């Protein structure tokens, strides 16, 4: 793969209204105090309020990213929603984010790219080529998730893990002065794991007119956590080797790695697989939970605003998603 000129112009994050401490979940789940923190490695996560929507949260993050980029929303060439779960089946969430930004008469194209938890990396991959050939100059990518809407409140495995939130990134072509570029991307999907993490309702598979009770059951997130972890752990090392080969980059060249905040166990496995010092990974899991597609851009935002990632540094964005899929991108910030 030839490197592509690509610059991150600005990033932003939005946290929902309600902070949910792990001690509160211990009480809800009838567990001993400290159980959730011990098993999930998460101190707190945030849940969207009744008035907050995927698009409204995404627009809040977008405004922060645009401000960081020194841009007005009207200067965008394209708006892309990169979420795991849409706000509604039709129209696409990108359209709703456009409206939330006050651009409903602008004509700026808006659409979705969905690869579940890897949606942001998939959008980065596809849009980098569009920017490189001049199709777009300034693109807004938004990942906004309300995971709490689909959780079974009595399912400790998922309730303790997931949080809501949104992140946005403005992408553009680099001017060549600082060498900002996308060096390589790589994706793999193993559909043998398609049933391990799923929401069966919301599309055309489970039809409410045929069986409303089944439709309601299928509207909640279903995860086989142990099986998912085993399948991912077996394939992750080889995937990472292929990602680094495609980018022609060695691990020692990276300033940091920005992973999907899937779980404490998953982050520990990545650390062990790459034989990394703990500080090499950018981690926000403890205060955000697993925010699905928003996890990687939220962690990217934190890496930039905290100074962990500086101009000229190399970084790798890596993760896994339902499917079972793996995705990664190596870029020079």
């Amino acid at each position: 793969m030839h490197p592509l000129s690509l610059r991150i112009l600005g990033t932003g994050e939005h946290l929902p209204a309600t902070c949910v401490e792990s001690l509160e979940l211990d009480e809800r789940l009838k567990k001993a105090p400290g159980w959730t923190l011990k098993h999930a490695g998460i101190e707190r996560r945030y849940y969207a309020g009744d008035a907050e929507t995927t698009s409204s949260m995404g627009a809040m993050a977008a405004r922060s990213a645009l401000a960081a980029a020194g841009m007005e929303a009207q200067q965008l060439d394209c708006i892309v929603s990169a979420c795991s779960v849409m706000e509604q089946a039709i129209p696409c969430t990108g359209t709703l984010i456009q409206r939330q930004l006050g651009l409903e008469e602008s004509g700026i194209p808006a659409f979705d790219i969905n690869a579940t938890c890897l949606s942001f990396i998939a959008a980065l991959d596809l849009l980098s080529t569009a920017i490189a050939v001049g199709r777009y100059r300034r693109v807004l990518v938004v990942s906004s998730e309300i995971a709490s809407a689909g959780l079974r409140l009595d399912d400790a495995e998922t309730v303790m893990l997931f949080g809501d939130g949104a992140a946005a990134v403005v992408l553009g072509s680099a001017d060549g002065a600082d060498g900002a570029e996308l060096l390589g991307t790589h994706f793999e999907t193993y559909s043998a794991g398609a049933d391990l993490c799923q929401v069966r309702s919301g599309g055309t598979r489970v039809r409410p007119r045929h069986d409303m009770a089944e439709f309601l059951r299928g509207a909640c997130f279903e995860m086989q956590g142990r099986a998912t972890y085993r399948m991912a752990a077996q394939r992750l090392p080889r995937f990472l080797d292929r990602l680094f080969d495609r980018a022609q980059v060695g691990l020692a060249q990276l300033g940091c790695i920005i992973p999907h905040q899937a779980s404490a166990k998953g982050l520990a496995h990545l650390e062990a697989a790459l034989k990394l010092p703990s500080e090499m990974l950018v981690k926000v899991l403890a205060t955000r939970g697993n925010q699905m597609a928003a996890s990687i851009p939220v962690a990217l935002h934190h890496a930039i605003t905290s100074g962990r990632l500086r101009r000229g540094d190399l970084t790798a964005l890596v993760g896994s998603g339902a499917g079972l899929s793996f995705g990664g991108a190596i870029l020079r910030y």
Side-chain angles (χ1 to χ4, degrees), residues 229-280:
Y229 174 78
R230 285 195 301 270
M231 189 173 181
Q234 289 168 359
R235 290 165 173 79
L236 180 63
R238 291 191 296 276
F239 163 77
L240 291 170
D241 287 342
R242 288 188 279 267
L243 170 63
F244 287 113
D245 284 346
R246 283 178 66 89
Q248 293 296 293
V249 167
L251 190 61
Q253 296 173 259
L254 301 179
C256 63
I257 295 176
I258 300 171
H260 171 42
Q261 313 290 302
S263 67
K265 190 175 182 181
L267 291 172
H269 179 74
L270 178 62
E271 217 172 90
L274 294 177
K275 299 181 174 62
L276 296 173
S278 180
E279 62 272 14
M280 185 80 167

Side-chain angles (χ1 to χ4, degrees), residues 22-36 153-156 159:
S22 283
L23 284 172
E24 182 180 338
L25 291 184
D26 292 336
E27 187 174 348
R28 287 192 206 173
L29 295 167
K30 297 181 171 54
K31 303 290 187 181
W35 185 93
T36 299
L153 298 182
D154 59 349
D155 181 0
V159 168

Side-chain angles (χ1 to χ4, degrees), residues 186-208:
H186 185 56
F187 294 85
E188 296 177 5
T189 296
Y190 299 91
S191 55
D195 295 337
L196 297 179
C197 297
Q198 60 180 341
V199 177
R200 293 178 293 111
S201 296
T204 58
R205 177 181 177 181
V206 182
R207 305 173 192 182

